[in-house]
Amino acid sequence: MEMVKMSAAGYCGETSNGLSVTTSLSWLPDSVLLEVLSFLSVRDLIRSGRVCKRWKRLVLDKSLWRYVDLTPYKLNSKILWHLLRHWIGTSLQTFKLKGLLNSVKKQEFLTPAILQVLEKRYPSLEHLHLQETNLRSLSYDCFPSTLKTLELSECEIPLTWFKSSTSKTKGLLKLENLVLNKVSSFSNHHLETICSQSSLKTLCLCGTYRVNDVGIQKAVPYLKGLEHFKVKECNITNITLHLIGCHLKNLRTLALLGFRDFTDTGLRCLSGVKTLEKLWLDDCFGFSNRTIIAVCVSLPVLNCLGLNEMFFKCQEIDKIRKSLPHCTVTTDFPNMEKVPKNGSTDIV
C-alpha cells in the first residue's frame, strides 16, 4: 500500500546518464490502474479512493467489488452500513463476513435491515460466507433470495432456521451449495428441511456432530442431483455409505474424512456410484487395500484417490497405484515403521 501511495504522488530520480525522470501511477491508463487496484484489500482500496478524484472514480468501479471479504476486520453496524451505502457497488457477487459470536461484544451487526439491503441492492449476490455469527435472531426468510451458495463457519442457528414461509419458498429453491463447518447446532431436522426444499449440488458437513445415519437417511431421497459431498466429524456409520451407494447416483466427488469405524462392508457399497471422479478416504483406518482396489477398479471415471493419514505400508500403496494406472493416488501418511509398539496409532 505504501508503494501505491508513493507512486501516486510521484517519484523523482536520476537515470545512469544523469537525466531526471519522474514515475507516477497517474501516467497509467485506467485499465492498468484497475488491474493494480484489484490486488488491494478492502481497507487499502478505500484508502486509495482518497488519493484524488480520478482514483475515487476508479475505486468505485464495479469490477473491484464483485468479491468482498470483510472477515479480517472488526466490524459494527455503523461501519457495515457505511460500506454498503458508499463503497460496495451493485455488482457484488460474493460477500464474506465475520460476526461477533466469539468476541466480548455479543451484539451482532447483521440485522434484518442489512439483509434487506443485500436483497434489494445486490441482484447478483450469489455467494454468502458467514463466520462466527449468531443467527438465532434472524429468520432464513431474511436472506437474499438470489443466494446459490451459503457457507456457515462456527455459526449458531435456531432449531427451525431452514423452514421457509410459503411466501418466500423460492429463496430455498435457488440454493445449490451448502457448506457447514463446525456449526454445532445443525441437526438431522435442519438437514432434512434444507434438502427437501432445495436442489443441492454441493453439501459439506464438517463438525456437525448432531447429524447421524437417521438424518442422512431422511435427506438422501432429496439429493438425487448432488454432485459433491464432504463429510467430517459426523455421527455416521456404514449405513450412510450404503445410503450413498443406493441414492447418490450423480455424485462426482466424495470426501469421507476421519471415520475410523467404517469397514470394508460399507466401502463396497460405493461401487454403485459409477459417476464418481474423486474419492477421499483420509484417516479412515477400517478399509483394507484389497477392498479399496476392488471398489476403485469398479468406478470407471475415477481419476483421484486420497489416502492421506492411512497406515499402509509402501508396498501396499505401490500395489494400489499399479492397480489404478489412470488414477492419481495421494498418500500423505505416517511411516508404518514409526507406529508405537503398544499398538497405538498416535504419532508424536
Side-chain angles (χ1 to χ4, degrees):
M1 179 59 194
E2 294 300 322
M3 185 178 295
V4 173
K5 287 182 177 179
M6 289 191 303
S7 300
Y11 167 77
C12 295
E14 291 186 355
T15 65
S16 58
N17 297 327
L19 298 176
S20 176
V21 60
T22 301
T23 60
S24 173
L25 282 179
S26 61
W27 290 3
L28 299 174
D30 287 358
S31 58
V32 177
L33 273 176
L34 283 173
E35 183 68 22
V36 173
L37 292 172
S38 67
F39 290 96
L40 299 182
S41 64
V42 172
R43 175 179 293 170
D44 290 339
L45 198 59
I46 293 174
R47 288 174 177 174
S48 299
R50 297 169 182 153
V51 172
C52 62
K53 290 183 178 180
R54 182 193 178 201
W55 279 44
K56 176 68 177 292
R57 174 176 57 81
L58 291 175
V59 165
L60 292 175
D61 190 89
K62 292 182 178 181
S63 64
L64 300 178
W65 298 99
R66 293 193 179 101
Y67 176 91
V68 176
D69 184 2
L70 299 179
T71 55
Y73 312 111
K74 293 182 179 180
L75 297 177
N76 55 46
S77 58
K78 183 178 179 180
I79 294 174
L80 186 55
W81 275 116
H82 177 77
L83 291 173
L84 293 174
R85 288 169 175 167
H86 301 287
W87 292 99
I88 301 178
T90 56
S91 61
L92 181 66
Q93 297 176 359
T94 299
F95 199 27
K96 303 181 71 174
L97 291 167
K98 183 177 181 179
L100 304 172
L101 186 62
N102 296 330
S103 66
V104 177
K105 186 178 180 181
K106 296 297 183 180
Q107 185 177 1
E108 289 289 351
F109 52 81
L110 193 62
T111 62
I114 287 179
L115 291 173
Q116 187 176 14
V117 170
L118 293 178
E119 169 85 43
K120 293 181 178 180
R121 181 176 169 82
Y122 305 103
S124 300
L125 180 60
E126 296 183 348
H127 186 166
L128 181 62
H129 174 103
L130 299 177
Q131 183 177 334
E132 298 178 15
T133 305
N134 188 352
L135 302 171
R136 291 187 180 274
S137 62
L138 294 174
S139 169
Y140 185 79
D141 286 346
C142 296
F143 281 68
S145 60
T146 56
L147 289 183
K148 291 185 177 181
T149 300
L150 178 63
E151 291 188 60
L152 303 179
S153 179
E154 300 182 63
C155 295
E156 288 291 335
I157 59 176
L159 292 176
T160 58
W161 197 55
F162 286 106
K163 277 194 174 181
S164 181
S165 64
T166 56
S167 62
K168 198 178 178 179
T169 308
K170 293 183 179 179
L172 284 166
L173 291 174
K174 288 186 178 180
L175 193 67
E176 296 179 354
N177 311 298
L178 179 63
V179 180
L180 302 175
N181 180 40
K182 296 182 180 179
V183 183
S184 58
S185 52
F186 188 83
S187 64
N188 289 338
H189 176 73
H190 289 120
L191 181 61
E192 181 184 5
T193 303
I194 186 64
C195 291
S196 64
Q197 300 186 41
S198 59
S199 301
L200 293 180
K201 294 182 179 179
T202 301
L203 178 61
C204 296
L205 302 174
C206 298
T208 53
Y209 64 89
R210 297 178 187 272
V211 175
N212 55 33
D213 294 326
V214 175
I216 299 295
Q217 183 178 15
K218 292 182 178 180
V220 288
Y222 305 107
L223 296 174
K224 301 296 185 181
L226 194 69
E227 298 180 1
H228 312 284
F229 192 24
K230 178 180 179 180
V231 196
K232 181 180 180 181
E233 297 176 356
C234 295
N235 190 20
I236 59 176
T237 65
N238 281 340
I239 295 175
T240 289
L241 298 184
H242 172 73
L243 294 169
I244 292 173
C246 292
H247 295 275
L248 306 186
K249 297 299 185 179
N250 293 310
L251 208 59
R252 294 171 52 197
T253 63
L254 175 62
L256 305 170
L257 311 179
F259 294 99
R260 301 186 179 185
D261 294 331
F262 284 168
T263 65
D264 288 344
T265 302
L267 184 61
R268 292 190 187 98
C269 298
L270 300 182
S271 298
V273 190
K274 302 301 182 181
T275 57
L276 205 57
E277 300 174 8
K278 294 178 173 57
L279 175 63
W280 284 273
L281 304 174
D282 298 1
D283 199 18
C284 295
F285 291 171
F287 301 141
S288 66
N289 67 323
R290 180 178 299 180
T291 303
I292 289 175
I293 291 173
V295 171
C296 292
V297 167
S298 69
L299 302 175
V301 294
L302 189 71
N303 56 52
C304 179
L305 174 63
L307 299 176
N308 303 303
E309 300 183 39
M310 299 277 279
F311 286 89
F312 286 131
K313 295 180 180 180
C314 293
Q315 54 265 36
E316 292 176 320
I317 294 297
D318 290 340
K319 185 176 181 180
I320 293 175
R321 286 198 171 105
K322 290 179 181 178
S323 303
L324 305 170
H326 303 295
C327 185
T328 300
V329 180
T330 61
T331 55
D332 179 14
F333 63 102
N335 193 330
M336 277 296 295
E337 283 69 24
K338 294 183 180 180
V339 177
K341 293 182 180 180
N342 60 7
S344 171
T345 57
D346 295 331
I347 305 298
V348 180

